[in-house]
Amino acid sequence: MEVIIAKDRTELAEIAAGIIRAQILAKPNCVLGLATGSTPEETYARLVRYHKEEGLSFAKVTTFNLDEYIGLPPSHEQSYYYFMHDRLFNHVDINEENVHVPMGMAPDPDAFCKWYEEQIEKAGGIDLQLLGIGGDGHIAFNEPGSSLASRTRVKTLTEQTIKDNAELFFGKGKEDEVPKFAITMGVGTILEARRLLLIAFGKRKAKIVKQLIEGPVTSMVTASALQLHPDAIVVIDEEAAAELELKDYYKWVYKQKNAEYQKTLDRLAGR
Ligand code: GLP
């Protein structure tokens, strides 16, 4: 696992958007796995900027979102479908036919989940999967206790997640408006992506980030499954990194890697 500690959330978004941009430039018809939440908002804003200012094109990109609340129509402002269009898709040249967000209103959610898995496979699998982390360590909506081999399915949200998401999306004290169920990619589905990129910032994530990076691999913190992936990058800010035992080492590794990279650039430029 590569751990990158950014000085603040602005630098974090710059690094994350840079990794996504590099993926699109290297493979214009790549398949991106995308996440919702407050964490990736600034990253998406930067991608929109790269599109508008540098012509970064999403025309051949295919996307699959991690999850969606059951019972919310795409037009609902708190749906993840709405969020993705509002923050990213409506502002870039993506082909709507290539956009996939689980359907919260699917008449047969189980059949839909199977179909969603088939679509990911048909697209050739996910090249780069962006992830956030919930307060209880979940990735997508894989709540504690989710099998590390799980596939796309319906999950019941924990009371903690309902509370967190009420505050973030529906307004404080509006727990009753948060759906209790969601369709989510499984941990096993996520681990099949060729590359994982998890981002997190702020004090409130410090404890769970420590468990994700330095704790045991356990279904009680589904994000810890990233330790099983051969190409996982975690980008966090100083506040979220506060409890890491090997914090200085991660910084040292990143510094060495950048110095090496700079040397290669200098060599190529004949300096
Ligand atoms: C929801 C989403 C997760 C996301 C999490 C964290 O639960 N299903 O994919 O990572 O929120 O949200 P935030 O980034 O706002 O902290």
Side-chain angles (χ1 to χ4, degrees):
M1 184 188 290
E2 185 179 357
V3 180
I4 302 176
I5 303 173
K7 67 173 187 296
D8 53 29
R9 57 186 73 178
T10 306
E11 193 182 72
L12 181 153
E14 197 181 311
I15 296 170
I19 293 170
I20 298 170
R21 170 171 57 184
Q23 171 67 68
I24 298 173
L25 292 175
K27 187 178 173 190
N29 62 344
C30 64
V31 179
L32 297 179
L34 297 177
T36 48
S38 49
T39 314
E41 283 188 304
E42 209 175 320
T43 301
Y44 292 149
R46 270 169 196 272
L47 290 174
V48 170
R49 231 170 68 200
Y50 298 153
H51 169 70
K52 295 203 162 127
E53 292 171 8
E54 302 170 11
L56 179 71
S57 177
F58 290 73
K60 294 183 185 152
V61 172
T62 296
T63 64
F64 286 92
N65 260 80
L66 288 167
D67 44 16
E68 178 63 284
Y69 290 116
I70 287 203
L72 295 194
S75 57
H76 194 290
E77 282 190 25
Q78 312 304 341
S79 75
Y80 287 171
Y81 179 95
Y82 187 97
F83 175 98
M84 287 310 302
H85 283 78
D86 188 51
R87 308 303 203 279
L88 181 66
F89 300 147
N90 288 349
H91 313 287
V92 296
D93 60 343
I94 197 153
N95 180 350
E96 187 63 34
E97 277 176 24
N98 296 338
V99 165
H100 305 84
V101 181
M103 201 190 284
M105 298 296 277
D108 181 345
D110 293 339
F112 177 84
C113 292
K114 208 167 152 263
W115 178 86
Y116 203 68
E117 289 270 342
E118 284 163 11
Q119 296 313 300
I120 296 174
E121 210 182 308
K122 240 172 139 179
I126 293 171
D127 290 301
L128 175 65
Q129 174 67 60
L130 180 65
L131 298 160
I133 182 169
D136 60 7
H138 68 224
I139 41 174
F141 269 131
N142 291 288
E143 298 287 36
S146 293
S147 160
L148 301 186
S150 52
R151 313 302 305 185
T152 303
R153 69 213 182 290
V154 174
K155 269 308 275 188
T156 308
L157 307 184
T158 61
E159 287 181 81
Q160 177 66 47
T161 297
I162 291 171
K163 197 167 159 277
D164 288 350
N165 290 1
E167 275 176 35
L168 286 166
F169 302 105
F170 292 78
K172 220 179 164 121
K174 295 210 170 162
E175 280 84 351
D176 288 351
E177 291 178 27
V178 184
K180 311 286 178 283
F181 306 98
I183 291 179
T184 179
M185 273 190 209
V187 181
T189 320
I190 293 168
L191 288 178
E192 276 172 15
R194 286 182 268 284
R195 189 174 221 200
L196 303 179
L197 170 60
L198 186 145
I199 54 178
F201 59 66
K203 269 193 241 134
R204 108 188 144 87
K205 296 281 171 79
K207 268 204 170 65
I208 204 67
V209 160
K210 158 121 184 109
Q211 291 189 60
L212 140 72
I213 298 172
E214 296 177 342
V217 174
T218 167
S219 62
M220 292 306 284
V221 178
T222 54
S224 66
L226 263 73
Q227 294 176 33
L228 300 170
H229 196 283
D231 191 358
I233 308 171
V234 176
V235 190
I236 49 183
D237 72 345
E238 283 282 354
E239 285 185 353
E243 304 218 3
L244 293 175
E245 207 175 301
L246 299 184
K247 188 171 151 185
D248 292 338
Y249 174 63
Y250 305 135
K251 286 186 177 175
W252 165 253
V253 171
Y254 188 56
K255 207 167 132 196
Q256 300 313 311
K257 218 176 135 186
N258 273 350
E260 244 349 277
Y261 180 63
Q262 197 50 52
K263 257 196 250 161
T264 310
L265 289 184
D266 288 349
R267 206 170 40 243
L268 290 172
R271 284 195 286 261

